[in-house]
Amino acid sequence: MSTSYQVTDGVAVITLDNPPVNGFGQSTRAGVVDGIAKANADSAVQAIVITGAGKVFCGGADIREFGTAKMAAEPSFHTAITAVEQSGKPVVAAIHGVAMGGGLELALGCHYRLVAPGTQIALPEVNIGIVPGAGGTQRLPRVLGVETALQMITTGASVPSEKLAKAPGQKLFDKLVDGDLLAAAIAFAKDVAAVRPLPSVRQLSVAAPADAELFAKTRADLAKTRKNLEAPQRCVDCVEASTRLDLDAGLAYEQDVFAKLVTSDQARALRHAFFGERAASKIPDVPDNTPLRDIKKVAVIGAGTMGGGITMCFLNAGIPVTLLEMKPDAIDRGVGIIRKNYEAQVAKGKLAQEKYEQRMSLLTTTLSYDDIAQADMVIEAVFEDMGVKSQVFTKLDSIMKPGAILASNTSTLDVDKIAEVTKRPADVVGLHFFSPANVMRLLEVVRSKHTAKDVMATVMAVAKKIKKVAVVSGVCDGFIGNRMFEQYVRQGFFLVEEGATVQQVDKAAEAFGWAMGPFRVGDLAGNDIGYAIRKRRKIEQPDVIYSPVGDAICELGRFGQKVGKGWYDYEAGKREPVPSAEVQACIDKVRADKGITPRAISDDEIVQRLVLAMVNEGAKILEEGIASKASDIDMVYLTGYGFPVYRGGPMLYADMIGLPKVVELMKGYAANPNGDPAFWTPAPLLAKLAAEGKTFTGGKA
Ligand code: NAD
């Protein structure tokens, strides 16, 4: 059993003991039920305390049980919490560190609750596409009021215990205990041992919200902030139900909603994202106990767009940075942008002035390599040019202390070749940040064939410190993210060539859930980037066919928002895309040149072709070992490319369509009058998995 039971001075102490976070798994639940029964049967016991071993009370459901029979096995959450609530002897929860999800729901079943300051209190279920399923939506409004409970349940945000304990009228905590919590809980339990009837959250009622429109307004807000997500809306339904139903009817209502959501596609996708993020930090051939290099000081080369953002990531994490540039004015410009970014955060109240100053005090600038020689890790973010990068790495090789990690932020160059410039290729790794680097969560860690395992383990740990989701990619053109995105954009061009409009493609992609369609992204990032890449590819891979529409608009100088025209027109100073007659004329000309009679293309076909174009490339990436698992590919897309999180990423999306169906759709696209059979030849891995009835992500087909 993952609990212990001990009687101290007439008080039975049940300790949840299921590392790492005392998850409320089946054996922990059984331990609680047994402990309550034992204590009630023992005449020497007057009262009961439930506490957690180690640093936390209880982090909620045991995630190792997700998707297994154990999750719903008896004693269920309800059985365990009911046993606590119906105990004839008082049960006091002693809560410290973390009380989340099922952990908080367990505490809400207790008669009394004592809490240590600094405890994180949350019902985070909404983040995995469900509602709290063990009474949270009915009991939390009873103790905190409908407004606070609604906020917590719909966002899943954690709130510090002292903030909740100090809220007027709150009934969540009986006492905030600064000091020995368990001793205080035992003393408290003895004090209340004779109290009858025992207090219970069950007896409390929920007052209607002061604002009669609260639920309607919250639904409308969530429809914007958590667009297309089902669970936040259902959380509102449940909390609203608590205002009109008694506890048992409310619990039944919550259970019904929970049961429907837990098997939904959105919940599956969000669970996949949740586990995918944890799995991404594991590298199959790099053991967890690999010794790490100590990274206390970092240097960044180049104070441009990326160098500045990367520097901020480290300053934010309290790691000192020396920023190196070629000229003083480049330093001034780079540091000026960093300051401006922080000042904007201070002005918005998101960053304390004092913290801003603290962060800036960690920044040193220099024009001399001598000043960075002792750094533990250096990240190069200079121009994307092999000649320039070679010079920088040769210099780094000659001056950096032994054991320093030499990283490059290159987006397209061969990290193997960069490593080979040095005499210490094992210390070289790619760290591909995304712009703006201080905001975007994704970090592609590019593992060259030379990179040492301890360098990989170290950069994964550093990534965690700077709050990035690190995904390992092998060396290839575009790594995981851009290599697949290239196919998505390429397919977007074919779609307009065949008959869709630029606006239709973007709108269909946006309705699917992308933040922006491919053409709006092109205009934002600059169409000249893809133009240059295509020029190079046409030489390197002459057999890969592109629609000429992309090049045609660039030949008209339509590089995007920065020049006021791209796939769309832009009025001066505005970012609103306006359909362009010049672009349409360009497309018409391409159609005429190729003899294409435009046809109507459905939004469904557009979305599927865009996503399946990426999926086919993803299958190749998996097969080549560039990504070690499908969930890594999905994490790249969820954290770096705005793929809708509730769809779980392109590879899970394909799994949910069913791989045999994906293959069939591709065959259909290849047979279109203007379809490209080469483009739509299923990658061998995709064809194989489809034939075997398997999936990319290993889940059910
Ligand atoms: P940028 O032009 O904004 O900045 C480059 C900076 O490097 C300039 O300030 C320049 O003065 C400095 N520099 C050039 N040569 C130098 C040298 N020898 N020593 C010291 N400083 C030098 O470029 P950027 O957009 O920040 O891109 C930098 C790198 O990051 C490139 O490799 C690029 O491919 C990669 N990258 C860019 C993005 C993006 O969206 N901009 C995204 C991911 C990766």
Side-chain angles (χ1 to χ4, degrees), residues 283-284 416 444-449 456 471-484 617-630 632-633 636 685:
I283 313 173
D416 290 344
E444 275 182 325
V445 173
V446 185
R447 180 181 191 173
S448 96
K449 60 182 179 203
M456 291 304 294
V471 177
V472 178
S473 169
V475 174
C476 67
D477 198 349
F479 312 131
I480 298 172
N482 285 341
R483 176 168 159 187
M484 284 167 67
E617 196 65 28
K620 293 175 193 167
I621 283 173
L622 269 180
E623 201 160 20
E624 291 166 24
I626 297 295
S628 62
K629 48 197 174 298
D632 281 0
I633 296 178
V636 165
L685 178 67

Side-chain angles (χ1 to χ4, degrees), residues 301-307 324-326 330 333 369 380-385 388-389 391-392 408-413 432-435:
I301 318 277
T305 311
M306 296 308 289
L324 183 145
E325 258 291 351
M326 290 185 299
R333 198 180 52 234
Y369 276 84
E380 163 280 309
V382 303
F383 301 135
E384 186 74 345
D385 179 287
V388 180
K389 301 235 194 239
Q391 274 176 13
V392 169
S408 171
N409 183 45
T410 181
S411 11
T412 54
L413 300 172
H432 186 214
F433 288 79
F434 287 70
S435 182

Side-chain angles (χ1 to χ4, degrees), residues 63 87 93 163 184 247 273 285 319 342 362 564 609 643 666 687 689:
I63 61 169
S87 163
K163 187 170 170 202
L247 187 75
D285 64 330
I319 300 170
Y342 280 138
L362 296 172
R609 281 174 55 176
F643 196 95
M666 287 186 177
L689 292 175

Side-chain angles (χ1 to χ4, degrees), residues 312 315-316 338-346 351 356:
M312 288 178 74
L315 300 181
N316 296 351
I338 293 176
R339 281 197 177 282
K340 238 170 88 184
N341 267 323
Y342 280 138
E343 278 160 14
Q345 289 177 26
V346 172
L351 179 71
Y356 161 41

Side-chain angles (χ1 to χ4, degrees), residues 300 302-313 315 323 334-335 337-338 341-342 381 437-438:
V300 174
T305 311
M306 296 308 289
I310 294 167
T311 297
M312 288 178 74
C313 294
L315 300 181
L323 184 55
V335 174
I337 294 171
I338 293 176
N341 267 323
Y342 280 138
N438 53 314

Side-chain angles (χ1 to χ4, degrees), residues 505-521:
V505 172
D506 277 350
K507 286 224 170 79
E510 286 156 23
F512 174 76
W514 288 91
M516 261 189 237
F519 296 107
R520 284 179 64 201
V521 169

